[in-house]
Amino acid sequence: MRSGIFRCWYMQDSQAVKYRVKFSKKGALRYISHLDVMRYFQKVIRRAEIPVKYSEGFSPHQLLSFAYPLSLGYTSDGEYLDMVMTERVNEEEALRRLNECSESGIKILAVKELDEKARNCMACVFAASYNITIREKITLPDDFCKKVIDFFGQETIPVNKPKKKNGGSVLIDLKQYLYDFRMIDDRTFYICVNSGSETNIRPDFVAGSVCEYCNVVPNENPFYIHRVEIYENISDNENVELRALI
Amino acid sequence: MNDNLALSDDILMSVEKPARYIGNEVNAVYKDPDKVDIRFVMCFPDVYEIGMSHLGIQILYDMFNKFEDTWCERVYSPWPDLDAIMRKEKLPLFALESQQPIKDFDFLGITLQYEMCYTNILQILDLAGIPLYSSERTWDDPIVFGGGPCSYNPEPVAEFFDIFYIGEGETRYREFLDLYKKLKGTGISRNDFLIEASKIPGMYVPSLYEIKYNDDFTIRSIEPMHPSVPRKITKEVVKDLNDTFFPTAPVVPYLKSYSDRINLEIQRGCIRGCRFCQAGQVYRPVRERSIDFLLDTAVSSLKNTGFDEITLSSLSSSDYSKLDELIEGLIKYCDENNINISLPSLRIDAFSLDIMSKIQDVKKSSLTFAPEAGSQRLRDIINKNLTVQNILNGCEQAFIGGWNKVKLYFMLGLPFENDEDINGIANLANDIAALYYETVPKEKRMGRAQITVSTSFFVPKPFTPFQWASQDRKEDFIDKAYRTRKAISGVLNQKSIKYNWHETDTSVLEGVFARGDRRLSKVILNAYKKGCIFDAWSEYYKNDLWLEAFEECGISMDHYTTRERPDDEIFPWDMLDCGVSKEFLLREWHKAKEGVPSPNCKEKCNGCGAASFGVGICRTHKQ
């Protein structure tokens, strides 16, 4: 999905228009994997008779690009995909038709035409925000909230981040990749962290680090994680300025 | 939408592919349980992705849910990971839609698609909390139905079922449900209800028949135990396939199923009469669906599901009389909408290749032919009606058309097979490879010819001319596979030929159950208790446990497999009538022994008996 085919193809056709779709994933459908969601959308688009553009060749496929895979079991209010259409469509009408053809667990929240030169949504992803809940089955110390606030309030937050390959871990300062934090309730906190392709901070990793700091032992399936939003960085200098993908 | 799931988040997150258990698929049917009289659950006793590929259940699901008073749901075998959790936590098996325990349903319908699913039936009953033996059930349990191809000899699992529906499900369920609504709650005993049910055509209630045995272990008699119970149960047949239930909005799984496409059944039955083939006999007579029906159904089901592929299914699609017209009609719609068409079950001829090249990428696809046997003599014995010349012509056309991959299917262990037949497989593959090099000039070749030879082991099936035949032993199978491999490695073009063969242990067990009788119920239960489950999956198949189970029950597998039956033997399935008479099958068996082929139904009526249904090709012939 990260390949450049999507963009270069689009350049070749002056008629084609690019759209971004925002959707939520909730309820029972949180047990559908990212791969299944991709196949699901191919079918939703067909059922909705949306004029999506197909690739050339003997077995053409729809030109879709998903922003950022959501782990199985997570819910989300901020999922994105880009699609190329063969012609300009009415955004409201497309939204209505997609929703009519989708199960209620996956709800289309917005459809927006993109600028011709816009980068595809996957390339835009810079940060994502989450609500992380420690499940009831896990006993928390009385001062858990305070400790979580302490953790995120540190001058630097040294954590061992597991490497993608060959196991092992690398010491990083989480503070540099943390853009926002607040407590939501006794067991739930909100974070906004970097999700760029190089330093992708996983929410379960952050939650695990919090537990370690608070001396809480996370057993099997300890967190309930909800993705709130995905952001791009629109700053043109070294600062970070976040804006939701739609 | 039903977010109220039977399994907890902890469980769903700990099992492989939780999407198997959450329901909520597009086109799944949801009804208010308070507003229906009948709760039915259809089961395919294998994992979700396999079960969801099955057209039959989709047809019946659509039919039942069109009945306003009935809610039909689905259930599949929990994979071993969830199976272990459900047993440990004592969680009852539930239906996907309502997520409610299936023990509380009125009916559980289980389709029997292959013999190796029999222990999975016990798993379903066991996890549901339904007594395994029909005799132990009360009105508190659902009525357990069986159907599908293996119900043409359901005897090995007869004691686990209350009723088998023999034949095509579209015809008699409404009548049955009305009877149920009328009688249930009137104080009638479950057994008396089953007696009433057995009066509906197609309903076989195994507990109402007494089987007596001879000293040599064969069957002496099959007798109904009640005067009003029919002696023979004749299969049900849909008279007009254009005026019946067929889903235009089948359920679309989230998971990639084994058949991730629309399955359009273009006809039922087969004119060919291959002597090894059960489907070719039990689905007679051939009945075609009309072009209008098929095109309408294709378009609406593609629109309602969003699938990007449609497969035209039948036992032999080349025999559909208006195939070209159908394909032309479909291609138009499918090309406009980026939909692929797939057409399995074509016979080798130029016309088929013309169609194939229109709908497939020649470079990527392979052509599959099933000569079934290596020599003309054996192909005549099995009535395959295919000559070497047919095969070579077909391949030549394919090579000219640009194909270089050919798959060939054969069976080993067919009756009256000898060394020459086995060598014939290697020689035929070699000739086809040689033909490629002769036909396609060097500069036009896409590399080497790729001939794949696959052999499976022949298992004689009920209601076929070979139901009297002896099945090979495991050692014979292994020896024949070895000899096939050796013969292939000895031919000139061996580097262009790849050889695969099917496992032997399961073929033997399949053979036992295919022609087995009621005494096998206890073996199946014994094996299940030892831990046999998902026997169709090689990683779960435990042959040693099966052997132990037979040993402990004092039952010999050889009695069912290797024994050639005398012409007058009473078969365990003789209470059933699939329309094709035993006399006809016996005639065919004798003709096989003489190596004489029979014409197909279009050429000449062989008087098989299916004309008594008065439909399809039998009716056309009369006119």
Side-chain angles (χ1 to χ4, degrees), chain B residues 107 130 463 467 584 601:
Chain B
F107 300 102
I130 299 168
F463 292 110
Q467 61 185 347
F584 164 74
C601 298

Side-chain angles (χ1 to χ4, degrees), chain A:
Chain A
M1 292 304 287
R2 270 178 201 262
S3 74
I5 295 168
F6 188 68
R7 277 193 74 195
C8 77
W9 178 87
Y10 167 62
M11 305 299 280
Q12 292 165 6
D13 188 337
S14 55
Q15 293 291 305
V17 193
K18 215 163 149 183
Y19 286 84
R20 180 157 295 163
V21 175
K22 181 180 187 179
F23 62 97
S24 63
K25 187 185 178 205
K26 285 178 178 171
L29 297 199
R30 70 179 184 275
Y31 301 108
I32 309 295
S33 74
H34 179 63
L35 211 67
D36 294 333
V37 169
M38 288 164 62
R39 295 185 319 108
Y40 173 77
F41 265 98
Q42 290 165 10
K43 296 191 177 88
V44 172
I45 289 165
R46 285 173 168 285
R47 288 195 295 270
E49 298 182 0
I50 298 285
V52 69
K53 187 83 192 170
Y54 283 78
S55 68
E56 308 293 321
F58 206 94
S59 35
H61 58 271
Q62 297 172 354
L63 291 162
L64 303 183
S65 158
F66 285 76
Y68 183 21
L70 187 72
S71 295
L72 192 124
Y74 293 12
T75 55
S76 176
D77 276 315
E79 295 302 291
Y80 290 93
L81 72 95
D82 287 355
M83 53 200 256
V84 182
M85 311 238 203
T86 56
E87 61 195 80
R88 179 155 283 118
V89 298
N90 179 299
E91 292 168 353
E92 293 296 313
E93 171 71 6
L95 178 78
R96 187 186 63 78
R97 268 161 51 181
L98 287 169
N99 269 328
E100 264 176 18
C101 296
S102 185
E103 289 295 306
S104 58
I106 289 180
K107 191 170 181 231
I108 318 303
L109 305 172
V111 176
K112 192 182 164 216
E113 186 180 332
L114 295 180
D115 185 77
E116 201 183 328
K117 293 186 201 101
R119 289 183 301 166
N120 80 48
C121 57
M122 177 170 272
C124 291
V125 177
F126 178 81
S129 55
Y130 301 91
N131 286 334
I132 301 174
T133 305
I134 319 284
R135 290 181 188 276
E136 293 286 342
K137 64 183 178 180
I138 292 171
T139 318
L140 295 179
D142 292 342
D143 60 347
F144 180 71
C145 282
K146 186 181 162 297
K147 279 194 152 162
V148 177
I149 293 166
D150 284 353
F151 175 82
F152 286 109
Q154 295 172 93
E155 198 71 17
T156 62
I157 312 176
V159 286
N160 282 307
K161 184 173 180 285
K163 282 183 188 168
K164 272 184 194 166
K165 289 171 192 165
N166 346 313
S169 61
V170 59
L171 188 68
I172 61 157
D173 176 14
L174 183 61
K175 193 87 180 183
Q176 295 193 20
Y177 306 108
L178 179 75
Y179 307 119
D180 200 359
F181 154 77
R182 64 177 175 272
M183 275 324 274
I184 303 276
D185 61 39
D186 291 355
R187 290 182 166 266
T188 307
F189 55 91
Y190 168 89
I191 53 165
C192 179
V193 289
N194 187 288
S195 305
S197 53
E198 280 167 37
T199 43
N200 178 26
I201 306 290
R202 292 175 53 104
D204 55 338
F205 163 68
V206 176
S209 302
V210 167
C211 284
E212 201 178 319
Y213 184 83
C214 304
N215 289 321
V216 169
V217 183
N219 51 11
E220 284 289 296
N221 194 26
F223 314 121
Y224 165 61
I225 296 175
H226 174 74
R227 185 184 278 166
V228 180
E229 187 55 274
I230 298 175
Y231 303 93
E232 57 187 323
N233 184 4
I234 53 166
S235 164
D236 48 13
N237 55 40
E238 303 243 312
N239 297 331
V240 171
E241 198 181 327
L242 299 180
R243 186 178 72 187
L245 289 190
I246 288 188

